[in-house]
Amino acid sequence: MAVYALTGFSLVSLLSFGYLSWDWMKPSLVADVATDPMEKSLPPAFTRPPHIIFILTDDQGYHDVGYHGSDIQTPTLDRLAAEGVKLENYYIQPICTPSRSQLITGRYQIHTGLQHSIIRPRQPNCLPLDQVTLPQKLQEAGYSTHMVGKWHLGFYKKECLPTRRGFDTFLGSLTGNVDYYTYDNCDGPGVCGYDLHEGEDVAWDQSGKYSTFLYAQRVSKILASHSPKEPIFIYVAFQAVHTPLQSPKEYIYRYRSMGNVARRKYAAMVTCMDEAVKNITWALKKYGYYDNSVIVFSTDNGGQTFSGGSNWPLRGRKGTYWEGGVRGIGFVHSPLIKRKRRTSWALVHITDWYPTLVSLARGNLSNVPGLDGYNVWPAISEGKESPRTEILHNIDPLYNHAKYGSLEDGFGIWNTAVQASIRVGEWKLLTGDPGYSDWIPPQTLTNFPGSWWNLERLTDGLRKSVWLFNITADPYERYDLSDQRPDVVRTLLMRLVHYNRTAIPVRYPAENPRAHPDFNGGAWGPWASEDDAEEWEGGGEPLKSRNKKKKCKICKLRSFFRKLNTRLMSNRI
């Protein structure tokens, strides 16, 4: 296959993209701002539990922040990160549900049964109810807990809802992909419903409000109505910048010179989200929280390159176990940090926030055994060495097995056809099919011919099922060392075997037609009764014979939806 040269691009030139200046005194379009939200203040003594604001963005690529050399304007994120601690060895999961589940539970996917794909709207599935969640632990420590934004951890019965899993209040969507204005979500042709909820009720009255604005305004309202003398935890899970690509026109106009339409819309959404973060920070200052606050910023997975995102110069994209799918943007901003204004290369994983934040809150972790996360606050605040030395990215036994993988290729100890990835120290191992492995420069189409990045993809991935990289020396995953270092491959395979022995069965039940919004007043929401929940939790099929007549009325519909589901695009994540 011919490989064409991509003219006009180089690593140096792409990483040197600047971003336009920003007037910090300009009034915000999210809320009226009268003063600079970033004015300096002296850090107080760490005498009481801090207020915790955790901001999670959706599908924001590694390259899609100003301080990573992006062409997208993110002045708020740039300044917060510059004045705090940038986490440049920070890892997340490649898709939505896994990252959110690991944040909320402090456990790897293999220990919650969510190691395959995402929780889909019509599945009788949710975050296991036996898991003690992060907000529940913070409630135990005396915190008021609030969630604003995207849940995506299941909702088929009421016990799965955010307000039943540790949050005092909730405003947001339960599914993974809604319209930014109408809050409609279609899980296939004709399977559409409204998805914006206030607590456990459908928030019909909020339709028409752009979600990024709505969520920032709700955070400000929560802060205004709470006392800064009492600790508060707010989890802000922005829908931005997940598809659909929608933004107010005034933000798109700033990027009118961008030739790539998807990138233009995506950039506008990122900048709009950045301004929402500015307003949240300003509200913390205005209402007296900032001096005793910890702001954590994290992406949930890599950027989707065919929807405007960019992970350059990392390899891969959302949904893959290449660095472009699992290395995230992350930073911590707080007056309580002892060593500010620096970049940390400490190894940090999204599971680490659970023990870290509970420890900051002076909560009790002794009754939550088996956490996969570590308390990394000393590494972040004081620059100490991270207690984490390895990361299990995942083991997914249900993902399509690699055609050329085998137990023999895995030294007889691991079937390399199974999709898995692990990092131990400076080494990273991938087995099975890690996903789309290209390097995608910014502002190009996904099928745009490249130079060395396309050549390596074509020659490297056709008949392989094992890859080994020294991530410290080769963060772009250009040089596969699996043939040169079989000893390291064997060692990391043994670690996969170790983790796999601790894995619980995958929770991925068949979809059920009872979840159709038409049967639930036109909105997505809990649909299973207690009896239904007991019957379907085992795998989506009824396990008992009672109510057969009632169930037979929808058996044809169930068959139709199952057949339809098999035709859905696999990348609707």
Side-chain angles (χ1 to χ4, degrees):
M1 182 179 294
V3 179
Y4 303 91
L6 176 61
T7 59
F9 282 104
S10 69
L11 178 62
V12 174
S13 63
L14 284 167
L15 291 180
S16 66
F17 281 144
Y19 51 91
L20 301 179
S21 61
W22 184 271
D23 183 359
W24 280 85
M25 299 304 294
K26 182 179 179 180
S28 165
L29 293 177
V30 180
D32 292 335
V33 179
T35 60
D36 185 350
M38 303 299 182
E39 64 185 28
K40 298 184 182 297
S41 59
L42 295 176
F46 199 170
T47 58
R48 62 186 190 275
H51 307 297
I52 301 170
I53 311 298
F54 195 103
I55 300 173
L56 187 73
T57 59
D58 199 340
D59 286 9
Q60 184 178 2
Y62 181 83
H63 185 66
D64 299 328
V65 66
Y67 68 84
H68 279 172
S70 180
D71 50 347
I72 298 177
Q73 304 168 36
T74 58
T76 303
L77 301 184
D78 297 345
R79 188 166 180 178
L80 288 173
E83 295 178 353
V85 177
K86 300 175 184 176
L87 305 177
E88 291 301 329
N89 206 2
Y90 174 57
Y91 286 87
I92 49 183
Q93 295 306 111
I95 50 178
C96 302
T97 295
S99 279
R100 294 159 204 275
S101 71
Q102 295 193 14
L103 167 65
I104 293 296
T105 68
R107 287 177 166 84
Y108 290 141
Q109 301 160 246
I110 63 167
H111 296 145
T112 59
L114 300 176
Q115 56 265 57
H116 178 67
S117 191
I118 60 170
I119 296 178
R120 300 186 180 276
R122 288 175 284 168
Q123 283 183 316
N125 193 15
C126 71
L127 188 72
L129 298 179
D130 61 352
Q131 295 290 322
V132 180
T133 67
L134 171 61
Q136 286 172 333
K137 294 304 296 180
L138 294 176
Q139 281 181 332
E140 290 178 10
Y143 276 68
S144 173
T145 60
H146 307 269
M147 180 179 173
V148 180
K150 173 178 170 178
W151 176 238
H152 208 187
L153 289 175
F155 59 88
Y156 77 104
K157 60 181 180 179
K158 287 188 176 181
E159 288 76 10
C160 301
L161 296 176
T163 48
R164 307 289 180 99
R165 305 310 306 271
F167 289 104
D168 296 328
T169 68
F170 169 66
L171 174 68
S173 60
L174 299 174
T175 63
N177 182 28
V178 303
D179 187 282
Y180 282 71
Y181 291 96
T182 67
Y183 300 99
D184 291 327
N185 177 23
C186 293
D187 187 44
V191 190
C192 301
Y194 184 82
D195 183 16
L196 184 65
H197 296 259
E198 175 85 58
E200 298 182 6
D201 299 321
V202 181
W204 297 104
D205 59 320
Q206 301 293 343
S207 179
K209 300 177 181 178
Y210 188 66
S211 72
T212 304
F213 292 175
L214 177 66
Y215 294 156
Q217 290 167 354
R218 173 51 60 94
V219 173
S220 180
K221 183 177 180 180
I222 291 171
L223 293 172
S225 60
H226 186 77
S227 170
K229 295 181 181 179
E230 301 296 330
I232 191 171
F233 169 60
I234 305 180
Y235 172 35
V236 190
F238 281 114
Q239 174 187 353
V241 287
H242 197 290
T243 54
L245 299 179
Q246 297 173 306
S247 172
K249 292 182 180 179
E250 55 267 33
Y251 289 88
I252 298 176
Y253 184 75
R254 303 181 191 187
Y255 297 100
R256 60 192 179 277
S257 61
M258 281 189 177
N260 185 298
V261 176
R263 182 68 173 170
R264 185 189 312 159
K265 294 180 179 178
Y266 178 94
M269 294 166 69
V270 173
T271 296
C272 184
M273 177 274 297
D274 180 88
E275 188 165 327
V277 174
K278 172 184 176 182
N279 281 268
I280 291 172
T281 308
W282 174 79
L284 289 170
K285 298 277 291 185
K286 176 181 179 182
Y287 298 115
Y289 296 86
Y290 177 78
D291 287 345
N292 190 44
S293 68
V294 173
I295 302 172
V296 181
F297 182 89
S298 170
T299 50
D300 72 334
N301 47 246
Q304 187 59 279
T305 52
F306 56 74
S307 298
S310 174
N311 305 303
W312 182 264
L314 302 180
R315 187 175 187 176
R317 64 188 184 198
K318 173 184 178 178
T320 77
Y321 288 93
W322 304 106
E323 291 292 284
V326 298
R327 182 173 287 206
I329 301 171
F331 65 79
V332 180
H333 178 95
S334 172
L336 306 174
I337 294 174
K338 293 183 178 180
R339 293 183 56 198
K340 303 181 184 67
R341 300 178 180 274
R342 64 186 181 84
T343 296
S344 171
W345 293 94
L347 190 61
V348 178
H349 185 248
I350 194 167
T351 55
D352 297 330
W353 297 121
Y354 186 113
T356 300
L357 299 182
V358 173
S359 296
L360 280 176
R362 302 177 187 176
N364 180 16
L365 289 170
S366 63
N367 59 350
V368 191
L371 291 178
D372 294 307
Y374 296 85
N375 180 1
V376 293
W377 183 252
I380 293 171
S381 176
E382 304 171 44
K384 294 183 178 180
E385 186 175 353
S386 173
R388 177 176 289 281
T389 59
E390 64 184 48
I391 295 172
L392 175 69
H393 292 302
N394 196 27
I395 300 171
D396 186 348
L398 299 189
Y399 193 81
N400 295 334
H401 282 199
K403 183 177 180 180
Y404 296 100
S406 68
L407 188 61
E408 181 181 2
D409 288 343
F411 299 98
I413 59 176
W414 181 262
N415 182 0
T416 63
V418 175
Q419 186 193 63
S421 182
I422 188 171
R423 174 170 171 175
V424 178
E426 61 188 6
W427 295 103
K428 178 182 177 182
L429 180 78
L430 304 98
T431 70
D433 179 4
Y436 187 83
S437 62
D438 220 339
W439 290 262
I440 307 295
Q443 295 197 63
T444 68
L445 301 177
T446 56
N447 61 350
F448 198 73
S451 54
W452 57 264
W453 45 86
N454 259 336
L455 177 61
E456 187 165 345
R457 177 174 68 89
L458 294 173
T459 59
D460 188 31
L462 292 180
R463 295 178 177 270
K464 286 187 63 63
S465 62
V466 178
W467 294 262
L468 177 70
F469 300 97
N470 184 320
I471 290 298
T472 302
D474 179 25
Y476 310 142
E477 297 172 296
R478 291 185 58 190
Y479 307 109
D480 175 21
L481 303 176
S482 58
D483 291 336
Q484 293 94 312
R485 294 300 304 271
D487 57 321
V488 179
V489 171
R490 180 187 288 271
T491 298
L492 269 61
L493 288 176
M494 287 299 298
R495 292 303 295 162
L496 285 178
V497 172
H498 163 76
Y499 279 112
N500 199 44
R501 288 172 180 161
T502 70
I504 68 173
V506 178
R507 299 167 56 96
Y508 198 74
E511 296 182 348
N512 195 289
R514 279 280 302 280
H516 197 299
D518 286 354
F519 302 146
N520 297 282
W524 293 103
W527 49 269
S529 66
E530 288 187 13
D531 289 342
D532 291 337
E534 291 178 3
E535 293 172 357
W536 287 318
E537 281 175 350
E541 287 290 341
L543 301 179
K544 301 178 182 178
S545 59
R546 66 175 179 265
N547 299 327
K548 285 184 178 179
K549 184 176 180 180
K550 179 180 178 182
K551 289 166 187 161
C552 283
K553 292 180 180 179
I554 60 172
C555 60
K556 291 183 180 180
L557 187 60
R558 179 184 292 120
S559 176
F560 168 76
F561 279 117
R562 284 179 180 165
K563 291 179 181 179
L564 182 62
N565 181 58
T566 61
R567 301 173 187 172
L568 294 177
M569 295 178 62
S570 61
N571 64 355
R572 275 184 57 83
I573 55 178

